Amino acid sequence: MSIPVSRLFAVVASVVLIAAGIGVATVPSQSQTETAVAFDAPVPNEYSFDGPTESGTATIGTETYTSLQAAVDAAEPGDRIRLSGEFDERIVVNTSNITLVGAPGLTARIDGNGSGNVLTVNGDDVTVERVWVYNGGYDTSTNDAGIWVNGTDVTIRDSRVTDATFGIWLNGVSGVHIENNTIVGREGVEPRSFRGNGIQVWKSDGATIVDNRITDARDGIYYSWASDVTARNNTLWDLRYGVHYMYSDDCTLVDNVAFDNDAGYAVMLSERINVVGNVAVNNSGTSGHGIFLKRIDHSVVSGNEVVGNKNGMFVFNSVNNTISENLFLENRVGVYFTAGSISENVSENSFINNDEQVRALVGELMEWNGSTRGNYWSDARDSDVDNDGVNDIRHRPSGLVERLTYEHPQATVFASSPAFDALRLAESSFPVIEVPGIVDHHPLTSPPHEGWKRYYERD
């Protein structure tokens, strides 16, 4: 419903008169301050690794090889190949149930000389541990990767993949475990869309991706036609999207940290995704979303901390999702609903000091929490007579004022005026004009997130 600007002044004036006539005092609007959040990124200080200076040797039992490929070809199931030094060769592992393990300190490095895949794992149940895979090919059309995985139940841990187009590519496999690796793409390749992804999960299932650090790629972790994949406690920065789902169902994203990206977590065209306990800070590029839900259904977004982004969360054409117990702090827009995203279960979130708490470009009134606990709004009017922690009056975080200022930007001059404050008060106290937007029937009087103030702390 578009409201002609000529009616704007009459509406506002009428509401002011109504508010004055019933003796209700208007509540001063909260002014937003330009406050940079405090955030200590959990990443190492630098990534200028020093490579080994000695030529490589690979040992199986008492036999030592100067060619890693020769050692891999000689290995039998159950063998451990111990690596040290530098190998200037591209490696293909066809034998199952073998281990490639570097000496302590990550001194073993495989240099692909800027061509093709550096390490290809075709065998099942192969373990790669404490190995540095370096300098893969540059061709995105052939998906050049540091480590290309064709085998099931492969483990890659405590390793590095650097100067690669795609870091690790899972190629239609099951049961892969990727843990405690550092993956660094090519910062000098611009734009980011010309790079590959840190970890590519293609038509794979049952994978676990845990405790990895990924930067300077296109997307940190990219899912395409994947299922039942768990990504936990990964740190992702200086990327297009920290995590990117496409056509991937029944996956779990928990306790990850995405910051300084174009967007933190982009969840698209998928169902039954659990996005739980993640942190998204300062994702403010072209997209600028902390969490982006596009055509996502029957999913859970809960317990996340979404701080200092352009849009804390952007919900596009997504239905039947649960959005609960999240912190939306100091974003330009806390949560943005559009394109028919009207049947969400939204409760016990904290909306604190966002420039615009919620924007809802929808065609109907979204009534939240008719019989349940609502959300905390830092700009809501406080009235809790029975001291049960729930406001006695409803809150309209997205109503007539927000719709008017969005449709008619010239009206923003009135945004902090007593007239608009009166209009907000009237919408919360009694329905003067019910326009499409959001009403929270049981807003909370205190935020469920006790630790939100730490984002303002300085040393």
Side-chain angles (χ1 to χ4, degrees), residues 158-179:
D158 302 337
S159 296
R160 295 176 184 156
V161 181
T162 66
D163 289 276
T165 298
F166 291 87
I168 300 173
W169 183 293
L170 307 187
N171 192 48
V173 295
S174 299
V176 173
H177 183 75
I178 303 173
E179 181 176 4

Side-chain angles (χ1 to χ4, degrees), residues 390-408:
V390 178
N391 257 316
D392 300 323
I393 57 175
R394 69 182 199 164
H395 182 59
R396 284 298 308 262
S398 178
L400 184 57
V401 168
E402 290 72 25
R403 196 168 188 88
L404 286 168
T405 55
Y406 181 80
E407 293 179 354
H408 306 286

Side-chain angles (χ1 to χ4, degrees), residues 22-145:
I22 60 174
V24 178
T26 61
V27 180
S29 62
Q30 184 182 40
S31 62
Q32 298 294 335
T33 59
E34 293 293 331
T35 305
V37 298
F39 178 68
D40 293 326
V43 298
N45 292 328
E46 52 83 24
Y47 284 93
S48 57
F49 306 123
D50 292 327
T53 57
E54 71 277 11
S55 297
T57 58
T59 303
I60 305 174
T62 59
E63 189 76 23
T64 297
Y65 301 81
T66 57
S67 165
L68 177 54
Q69 186 64 61
V72 166
D73 291 342
E76 297 181 355
D79 280 347
R80 287 172 62 87
I81 305 174
R82 300 185 301 278
L83 284 64
S84 65
E86 175 102 9
F87 298 90
D88 292 323
E89 52 185 329
R90 293 158 57 195
I91 307 301
V92 178
V93 179
N94 291 316
T95 305
S96 296
N97 189 25
I98 65 172
T99 297
L100 279 65
V101 57
L106 291 171
T107 56
R109 185 169 79 171
I110 307 171
D111 186 342
N113 293 300
S115 177
N117 302 321
V118 182
L119 174 60
T120 301
V121 181
N122 294 325
D124 300 332
D125 196 26
V126 171
T127 296
V128 178
E129 182 176 354
R130 294 201 303 269
V131 175
W132 182 357
V133 176
Y134 169 74
N135 196 17
Y138 286 77
D139 197 339
T140 55
S141 66
T142 57
N143 303 322
D144 287 348

Side-chain angles (χ1 to χ4, degrees), residues 11-298:
V11 170
V12 172
S14 298
V15 171
V16 171
L17 291 174
I18 293 171
I22 60 174
V24 178
T26 61
V27 180
S29 62
Q30 184 182 40
S31 62
Q32 298 294 335
T33 59
E34 293 293 331
T35 305
V37 298
F39 178 68
D40 293 326
V43 298
N45 292 328
E46 52 83 24
Y47 284 93
S48 57
F49 306 123
D50 292 327
T53 57
E54 71 277 11
S55 297
T57 58
T59 303
I60 305 174
T62 59
E63 189 76 23
T64 297
Y65 301 81
T66 57
S67 165
L68 177 54
Q69 186 64 61
V72 166
D73 291 342
E76 297 181 355
D79 280 347
R80 287 172 62 87
I81 305 174
R82 300 185 301 278
L83 284 64
S84 65
E86 175 102 9
F87 298 90
D88 292 323
E89 52 185 329
R90 293 158 57 195
I91 307 301
V92 178
V93 179
N94 291 316
T95 305
S96 296
N97 189 25
I98 65 172
T99 297
L100 279 65
V101 57
L106 291 171
T107 56
R109 185 169 79 171
I110 307 171
D111 186 342
N113 293 300
S115 177
N117 302 321
V118 182
L119 174 60
T120 301
V121 181
N122 294 325
D124 300 332
D125 196 26
V126 171
T127 296
V128 178
E129 182 176 354
R130 294 201 303 269
V131 175
W132 182 357
V133 176
Y134 169 74
N135 196 17
Y138 286 77
D139 197 339
T140 55
S141 66
T142 57
N143 303 322
D144 287 348
I147 304 177
W148 184 281
V149 180
N150 287 323
T152 62
D153 299 321
V154 169
T155 296
I156 302 167
R157 64 173 170 241
D158 302 337
S159 296
R160 295 176 184 156
V161 181
T162 66
D163 289 276
T165 298
F166 291 87
I168 300 173
W169 183 293
L170 307 187
N171 192 48
V173 295
S174 299
V176 173
H177 183 75
I178 303 173
E179 181 176 4
N180 192 35
N181 304 287
T182 297
I183 300 173
V184 183
R186 290 187 165 112
E187 182 182 10
V189 175
E190 292 290 347
R192 284 175 177 165
S193 58
F194 289 4
R195 308 175 191 175
N197 302 310
I199 298 175
Q200 179 96 12
V201 187
W202 184 79
K203 290 189 176 180
S204 298
D205 62 84
T208 52
I209 302 170
V210 182
D211 294 330
N212 301 284
R213 298 154 299 280
I214 306 174
T215 188
D216 290 336
R218 181 197 302 162
D219 299 338
I221 307 172
Y222 181 89
Y223 301 75
S224 180
W225 304 104
S227 64
D228 190 29
V229 176
T230 296
R232 182 176 68 251
N233 202 38
N234 301 286
T235 304
L236 314 130
W237 73 103
D238 286 342
L239 305 157
R240 184 183 67 168
Y241 303 153
V243 176
H244 188 181
Y245 290 87
M246 293 292 289
Y247 307 105
S248 297
D249 301 336
D250 301 298
C251 293
T252 298
L253 187 68
V254 59
D255 294 340
N256 301 280
V257 177
F259 66 97
D260 291 352
N261 306 296
D262 187 7
Y265 309 101
V267 189
M268 305 184 188
L269 304 166
S270 304
E271 294 188 351
R272 299 179 301 278
I273 306 296
N274 289 320
V275 182
V276 180
N278 303 283
V279 173
V281 176
N282 193 36
N283 299 289
S284 54
T286 303
S287 298
H289 309 309
I291 301 174
F292 179 30
L293 306 182
K294 179 180 180 181
R295 291 179 60 186
I296 299 301
D297 302 332
H298 310 293

